[in-house]
Amino acid sequence: MKTSDEPLRVTVFASGRGSNLEAILKNINAGKVNARIVAVISNNSKAGALELAGKNNIPAYHISQKQYTDEHLFSDALLKVLQQHNTQLIALAGYMKKIPLPVIRAFKDRILNIHPALLPSFGGHGLYGHFVHEAVLNYGCKISGATVHIVDEDYDTGPPVCQQCVPVLENDTPDTLAARVLAVEHEIFSQAIQLFAQGRVQVKGRRVIIADR
Ligand code: GAR
Protein backbone atom coordinates (compact mmCIF):
# COMPACT_ATOMS: atom_id res chain seq x y z
CA MET A 1 0.00 0.00 0.00
CA LYS A 2 1.30 3.49 -0.86
CA THR A 3 1.78 5.69 2.19
CA SER A 4 3.77 8.81 1.22
CA ASP A 5 2.26 12.10 -0.02
CA GLU A 6 4.34 12.06 -3.21
CA PRO A 7 2.17 11.92 -6.36
CA LEU A 8 1.54 8.36 -7.52
CA ARG A 9 3.61 7.62 -10.63
CA VAL A 10 1.24 6.33 -13.31
CA THR A 11 2.02 5.06 -16.80
CA VAL A 12 -1.00 5.10 -19.12
CA PHE A 13 -1.46 2.59 -21.96
CA ALA A 14 -3.92 3.75 -24.65
CA SER A 15 -4.72 2.69 -28.21
CA GLY A 16 -7.13 5.40 -29.33
CA ARG A 17 -8.29 8.98 -29.05
CA GLY A 18 -7.38 9.28 -25.35
CA SER A 19 -10.43 10.92 -23.79
CA ASN A 20 -9.89 8.93 -20.58
CA LEU A 21 -6.25 10.07 -20.46
CA GLU A 22 -7.46 13.64 -20.98
CA ALA A 23 -9.97 13.34 -18.13
CA ILE A 24 -7.30 11.96 -15.77
CA LEU A 25 -4.93 14.80 -16.66
CA LYS A 26 -7.72 17.32 -16.06
CA ASN A 27 -8.46 15.84 -12.65
CA ILE A 28 -4.76 15.81 -11.73
CA ASN A 29 -4.46 19.47 -12.74
CA ALA A 30 -7.59 20.28 -10.73
CA GLY A 31 -5.97 18.72 -7.64
CA LYS A 32 -8.53 15.89 -7.46
CA VAL A 33 -5.98 13.13 -8.11
CA ASN A 34 -2.58 13.05 -6.42
CA ALA A 35 -0.80 11.41 -9.34
CA ARG A 36 1.59 12.18 -12.15
CA ILE A 37 1.37 10.62 -15.59
CA VAL A 38 5.02 9.71 -16.10
CA ALA A 39 4.67 8.04 -19.52
CA VAL A 40 2.13 7.10 -22.16
CA ILE A 41 2.53 3.92 -24.21
CA SER A 42 0.51 3.02 -27.29
CA ASN A 43 0.47 0.13 -29.74
CA ASN A 44 -0.87 2.59 -32.32
CA SER A 45 1.48 5.24 -33.69
CA LYS A 46 -1.51 7.40 -34.70
CA ALA A 47 -3.24 7.30 -31.31
CA GLY A 48 -4.66 10.62 -30.15
CA ALA A 49 -3.37 9.62 -26.71
CA LEU A 50 0.25 9.89 -27.91
CA GLU A 51 -0.43 13.35 -29.35
CA LEU A 52 -2.07 14.41 -26.09
CA ALA A 53 0.97 13.15 -24.16
CA GLY A 54 3.24 15.23 -26.42
CA LYS A 55 1.14 18.36 -25.84
CA ASN A 56 1.46 17.83 -22.08
CA ASN A 57 5.21 17.15 -22.20
CA ILE A 58 4.72 13.56 -21.11
CA PRO A 59 7.17 11.02 -22.58
CA ALA A 60 5.23 9.09 -25.26
CA TYR A 61 6.17 5.70 -26.67
CA HIS A 62 4.89 3.72 -29.63
CA ILE A 63 5.57 0.11 -28.65
CA SER A 64 3.79 -2.63 -30.54
CA GLN A 65 4.07 -6.41 -30.51
CA LYS A 66 4.45 -6.14 -34.31
CA GLN A 67 7.86 -4.48 -33.86
CA TYR A 68 9.26 -7.58 -32.14
CA THR A 69 10.00 -11.07 -33.39
CA ASP A 70 9.30 -12.60 -30.02
CA GLU A 71 6.91 -11.87 -27.17
CA HIS A 72 9.73 -11.73 -24.58
CA LEU A 73 11.41 -8.84 -26.39
CA PHE A 74 8.07 -7.01 -26.49
CA SER A 75 7.60 -7.51 -22.72
CA ASP A 76 11.17 -6.39 -22.08
CA ALA A 77 10.60 -3.18 -24.07
CA LEU A 78 7.47 -2.40 -22.04
CA LEU A 79 9.15 -3.24 -18.72
CA LYS A 80 12.14 -1.06 -19.61
CA VAL A 81 9.93 2.02 -20.09
CA LEU A 82 7.88 1.22 -16.98
CA GLN A 83 11.02 0.87 -14.85
CA GLN A 84 12.79 3.86 -16.42
CA HIS A 85 9.92 6.07 -15.19
CA ASN A 86 9.62 4.37 -11.77
CA THR A 87 6.02 3.43 -12.54
CA GLN A 88 3.94 2.57 -9.48
CA LEU A 89 0.58 2.03 -11.22
CA ILE A 90 -0.40 1.22 -14.81
CA ALA A 91 -3.72 2.58 -16.14
CA LEU A 92 -5.16 0.96 -19.26
CA ALA A 93 -7.19 3.79 -20.77
CA GLY A 94 -8.70 2.29 -23.91
CA TYR A 95 -5.83 -0.13 -24.52
CA MET A 96 -7.10 -2.72 -26.99
CA LYS A 97 -4.31 -5.29 -26.67
CA LYS A 98 -3.58 -7.92 -24.05
CA ILE A 99 -0.82 -6.99 -21.62
CA PRO A 100 1.94 -9.64 -21.73
CA LEU A 101 2.14 -11.94 -18.70
CA PRO A 102 5.60 -10.81 -17.49
CA VAL A 103 4.23 -7.25 -17.19
CA ILE A 104 1.07 -8.41 -15.40
CA ARG A 105 3.21 -10.43 -12.97
CA ALA A 106 5.71 -7.60 -12.38
CA PHE A 107 2.80 -5.24 -11.62
CA LYS A 108 0.50 -7.64 -9.77
CA ASP A 109 -2.54 -5.77 -8.40
CA ARG A 110 -1.08 -2.52 -9.76
CA ILE A 111 -2.73 -2.47 -13.22
CA LEU A 112 -6.16 -0.89 -13.66
CA ASN A 113 -8.37 -1.22 -16.72
CA ILE A 114 -11.47 0.76 -17.63
CA HIS A 115 -14.22 -1.25 -19.32
CA PRO A 116 -17.36 0.35 -20.82
CA ALA A 117 -19.89 -2.04 -19.21
CA LEU A 118 -20.83 -3.52 -15.85
CA LEU A 119 -18.50 -6.52 -15.57
CA PRO A 120 -18.80 -9.49 -15.53
CA SER A 121 -21.45 -8.78 -18.19
CA PHE A 122 -20.31 -7.82 -21.68
CA GLY A 123 -16.60 -8.37 -21.16
CA GLY A 124 -13.99 -10.73 -22.52
CA HIS A 125 -12.17 -11.26 -25.78
CA GLY A 126 -13.74 -9.31 -28.67
CA LEU A 127 -15.93 -7.19 -26.40
CA TYR A 128 -14.37 -3.76 -26.47
CA GLY A 129 -15.38 -0.23 -27.51
CA HIS A 130 -18.38 -0.09 -29.82
CA PHE A 131 -18.97 -3.88 -29.72
CA VAL A 132 -19.79 -3.67 -26.02
CA HIS A 133 -22.58 -1.10 -26.50
CA GLU A 134 -24.01 -3.01 -29.48
CA ALA A 135 -24.13 -6.17 -27.36
CA VAL A 136 -25.82 -4.36 -24.45
CA LEU A 137 -28.52 -2.96 -26.78
CA ASN A 138 -28.99 -6.28 -28.60
CA TYR A 139 -29.56 -8.00 -25.25
CA GLY A 140 -32.22 -5.42 -24.34
CA CYS A 141 -30.55 -4.34 -21.08
CA LYS A 142 -32.16 -1.51 -19.12
CA ILE A 143 -28.91 -0.45 -17.49
CA SER A 144 -25.26 -0.38 -18.47
CA GLY A 145 -22.29 1.42 -16.97
CA ALA A 146 -18.55 1.35 -16.52
CA THR A 147 -16.12 -0.71 -14.46
CA VAL A 148 -12.59 0.00 -13.30
CA HIS A 149 -10.97 -3.30 -12.34
CA ILE A 150 -7.64 -4.77 -11.39
CA VAL A 151 -6.04 -6.59 -14.32
CA ASP A 152 -5.36 -10.28 -13.84
CA GLU A 153 -4.13 -12.82 -16.35
CA ASP A 154 -7.32 -13.00 -18.46
CA TYR A 155 -9.54 -10.54 -20.35
CA ASP A 156 -11.73 -8.35 -18.10
CA THR A 157 -11.82 -10.91 -15.26
CA GLY A 158 -9.98 -9.11 -12.43
CA PRO A 159 -11.85 -7.78 -9.39
CA PRO A 160 -13.72 -4.45 -9.70
CA VAL A 161 -12.46 -1.34 -7.88
CA CYS A 162 -15.24 1.10 -8.94
CA GLN A 163 -18.45 0.58 -10.91
CA GLN A 164 -21.18 3.01 -11.85
CA CYS A 165 -24.40 2.48 -13.82
CA VAL A 166 -26.20 4.53 -16.45
CA PRO A 167 -29.72 3.98 -17.81
CA VAL A 168 -30.24 2.55 -21.28
CA LEU A 169 -32.86 4.69 -23.03
CA GLU A 170 -35.51 3.49 -25.49
CA ASN A 171 -34.04 5.35 -28.44
CA ASP A 172 -30.36 4.66 -27.68
CA THR A 173 -27.92 3.81 -30.45
CA PRO A 174 -24.46 2.35 -29.67
CA ASP A 175 -23.09 5.90 -30.04
CA THR A 176 -25.53 7.60 -27.66
CA LEU A 177 -25.09 4.85 -25.08
CA ALA A 178 -21.28 5.02 -25.49
CA ALA A 179 -21.35 8.78 -24.81
CA ARG A 180 -23.39 8.33 -21.61
CA VAL A 181 -21.07 5.56 -20.40
CA LEU A 182 -17.95 7.57 -21.34
CA ALA A 183 -19.02 10.47 -19.10
CA VAL A 184 -19.11 8.01 -16.17
CA GLU A 185 -15.75 6.47 -17.19
CA HIS A 186 -14.19 9.91 -16.98
CA GLU A 187 -15.29 10.17 -13.35
CA ILE A 188 -14.62 6.69 -11.98
CA PHE A 189 -11.19 6.13 -13.53
CA SER A 190 -9.82 9.19 -11.72
CA GLN A 191 -11.61 8.13 -8.52
CA ALA A 192 -9.96 4.69 -8.67
CA ILE A 193 -6.50 6.18 -9.29
CA GLN A 194 -6.99 8.55 -6.37
CA LEU A 195 -7.86 5.60 -4.10
CA PHE A 196 -4.50 4.05 -5.04
CA ALA A 197 -2.75 7.40 -4.60
CA GLN A 198 -4.19 7.59 -1.09
CA GLY A 199 -2.99 4.07 -0.32
CA ARG A 200 -6.55 2.96 0.47
CA VAL A 201 -6.75 -0.12 -1.77
CA GLN A 202 -6.19 -3.64 -0.56
CA VAL A 203 -6.83 -6.67 -2.76
CA LYS A 204 -8.03 -9.75 -0.89
CA GLY A 205 -8.77 -12.49 -3.39
CA ARG A 206 -11.69 -11.22 -5.46
CA ARG A 207 -12.54 -8.43 -3.02
CA VAL A 208 -11.03 -4.99 -3.39
CA ILE A 209 -11.24 -3.44 0.05
CA ILE A 210 -11.28 0.37 0.20
CA ALA A 211 -10.02 1.66 3.54
CA ASP A 212 -11.79 4.62 5.19
CA ARG A 213 -9.90 7.89 5.08
C1 GAR B 1 -13.38 3.68 -23.62
O1 GAR B 1 -14.78 3.65 -23.74
C2 GAR B 1 -12.91 2.46 -22.85
O2 GAR B 1 -13.79 2.06 -21.85
C3 GAR B 1 -12.85 1.43 -23.93
O3 GAR B 1 -12.30 2.13 -25.03
C4 GAR B 1 -12.71 3.50 -24.98
C5 GAR B 1 -11.46 4.36 -25.12
O4 GAR B 1 -11.81 5.71 -25.24
N1 GAR B 1 -12.03 0.33 -23.55
C6 GAR B 1 -12.33 -0.94 -23.83
O5 GAR B 1 -13.28 -1.26 -24.50
C7 GAR B 1 -11.32 -1.96 -23.29
N2 GAR B 1 -11.93 -3.25 -23.20
P1 GAR B 1 -10.73 6.85 -25.06
O6 GAR B 1 -9.57 6.52 -26.00
O7 GAR B 1 -11.44 8.08 -25.49
O8 GAR B 1 -10.29 6.89 -23.63
Side-chain angles (χ1 to χ4, degrees), residues 67-87:
Q67 297 160 333
Y68 299 90
T69 45
D70 143 342
E71 167 129 14
H72 293 292
L73 296 174
F74 174 52
S75 296
D76 288 350
L78 294 174
L79 285 168
K80 190 174 162 208
V81 170
L82 291 163
Q83 281 152 8
Q84 188 183 329
H85 294 284
N86 297 322
T87 302

Side-chain angles (χ1 to χ4, degrees), residues 34-45:
N34 184 25
R36 192 173 140 206
I37 307 298
V38 291
V40 172
I41 297 176
S42 183
N43 58 303
N44 169 14
S45 62

Side-chain angles (χ1 to χ4, degrees), residues 16-20 93-96 114-116 127-129 156 182 185:
R17 73 195 148 181
S19 76
N20 273 289
Y95 187 65
M96 303 308 182
I114 182 97
H115 185 76
L127 277 170
Y128 58 90
D156 300 331
L182 193 65
E185 292 182 39

Side-chain angles (χ1 to χ4, degrees), residues 116-118 133 136 141-147 163-169 172 176-185 187-188:
L118 295 174
H133 307 296
V136 168
C141 289
K142 301 296 186 192
I143 55 165
S144 189
T147 302
Q163 293 189 293
Q164 198 169 311
C165 359
V166 302
V168 175
L169 305 181
D172 262 336
T176 59
L177 178 57
R180 194 174 310 114
V181 171
L182 193 65
V184 162
E185 292 182 39
E187 285 176 30
I188 66 170

Side-chain angles (χ1 to χ4, degrees), residues 84-153:
Q84 188 183 329
H85 294 284
N86 297 322
T87 302
Q88 295 172 300
L89 183 81
I90 297 173
L92 308 183
Y95 187 65
M96 303 308 182
K97 296 285 175 189
K98 203 154 189 269
I99 298 290
L101 277 183
V103 177
I104 296 180
R105 289 180 182 158
F107 283 83
K108 183 170 161 44
D109 295 341
R110 293 189 296 140
I111 308 178
L112 292 179
N113 179 46
I114 182 97
H115 185 76
L118 295 174
L119 291 173
S121 293
F122 305 107
H125 189 48
L127 277 170
Y128 58 90
H130 206 257
F131 299 113
V132 175
H133 307 296
E134 271 173 18
V136 168
L137 291 174
N138 288 340
Y139 198 86
C141 289
K142 301 296 186 192
I143 55 165
S144 189
T147 302
V148 179
H149 67 93
I150 308 267
V151 172
D152 65 9
E153 298 189 8

